[in-house]
Amino acid sequence: MTDSRIQLTEEDITGIQADAIVNAANNSLLGGGGVDGAIHRVAGPELLAQCRTLGGCPTGEARITKGYNLPAAWVIHTVGPVWRGGTQREPELLARCYRNCFSLVREHGLRSVAFPAISTGVYGYPKEEAARIAIQEARRALAENENLARVLFVCFNSDTRLAYEKALTEP
Ligand code: APR
């Protein structure tokens, strides 16, 4: 059953009008390349200033900050696992990223959240497996949180979008 509250789009997450956008960060939370770099560039220096106060973030966990110059009011920073072949608890850690992001969404009473394809860029996680975990956790979160109205998966290239479209067709 495809839940209409789960949506896909192919664009830059920094322009998304959702209550929160998720950042695929690193353990330092002090910025980087990829989506992390884009989010910090648009949010502005106040985001980094707030991140400095957080003392980093372990892999699999999530932290929330304001969005500053972003259209989204909040940024949820999560640190995905680096893909090392699948024998270092990568699937479990990636699932924890999504669950911890959805916990912050619930704690802050947010109604919409947009995710990039966490860990599938620099961190090398296979797109199809990562998308399967993302969709599975979104379905779980939507079933558990009636206040959550929209989960948006923001793909940055067609390979990623195809991976999510495939994952959405799976039970
Ligand atoms: N909007 C949406 N998605 C984006 C954007 C953007 N502006 N820029 C990149 N992406 C996509 C990538 O194409 C990929 O599909 O986000 C996904 C995650 O890729 P990365 O940003 O490389 O994140 P990740 O693989 O989790 O690696 C995290 O990269 O940028 C550093 O500081 C970050 O060290 C951390 C590592």
Side-chain angles (χ1 to χ4, degrees), residues 104-125:
L104 287 169
V105 164
R106 189 177 52 243
E107 284 164 33
H108 286 75
L110 307 184
R111 292 182 49 75
S112 58
V113 58
F115 289 90
I118 299 165
S119 280
T120 66
V122 166
Y123 282 4
Y125 209 111

Side-chain angles (χ1 to χ4, degrees), residues 2-137:
T2 55
D3 188 328
S4 62
R5 296 173 295 171
I6 296 177
Q7 294 158 12
L8 299 186
T9 182
E10 195 170 337
E11 62 188 281
D12 185 326
I13 200 167
T14 58
I16 297 286
Q17 304 263 2
D19 290 343
I21 63 169
V22 173
N23 180 22
N26 59 56
N27 296 120
S28 74
L29 290 188
L30 299 180
V35 70
D36 195 4
I39 286 174
H40 276 276
R41 241 188 329 275
V42 175
E46 292 171 289
L47 176 61
L48 182 58
Q50 185 178 358
C51 285
R52 283 194 200 288
T53 69
L54 301 179
C57 181
T59 299
E61 294 193 20
R63 301 287 186 270
I64 192 165
T65 67
K66 290 195 289 184
Y68 300 102
N69 301 330
L70 287 161
W74 303 92
V75 180
I76 294 174
H77 307 260
T78 192
V79 182
V82 174
W83 179 255
R84 292 192 170 89
T87 61
Q88 309 287 320
R89 301 171 51 230
E90 296 97 318
E92 174 196 333
L93 285 165
L94 186 60
R96 281 186 59 206
C97 282
Y98 285 99
R99 282 186 209 150
N100 283 319
C101 289
F102 282 119
S103 295
L104 287 169
V105 164
R106 189 177 52 243
E107 284 164 33
H108 286 75
L110 307 184
R111 292 182 49 75
S112 58
V113 58
F115 289 90
I118 299 165
S119 280
T120 66
V122 166
Y123 282 4
Y125 209 111
K127 294 178 172 48
E128 292 198 3
E129 181 49 39
R132 199 171 298 130
I133 290 171
I135 296 292
Q136 170 189 314
E137 292 307 325

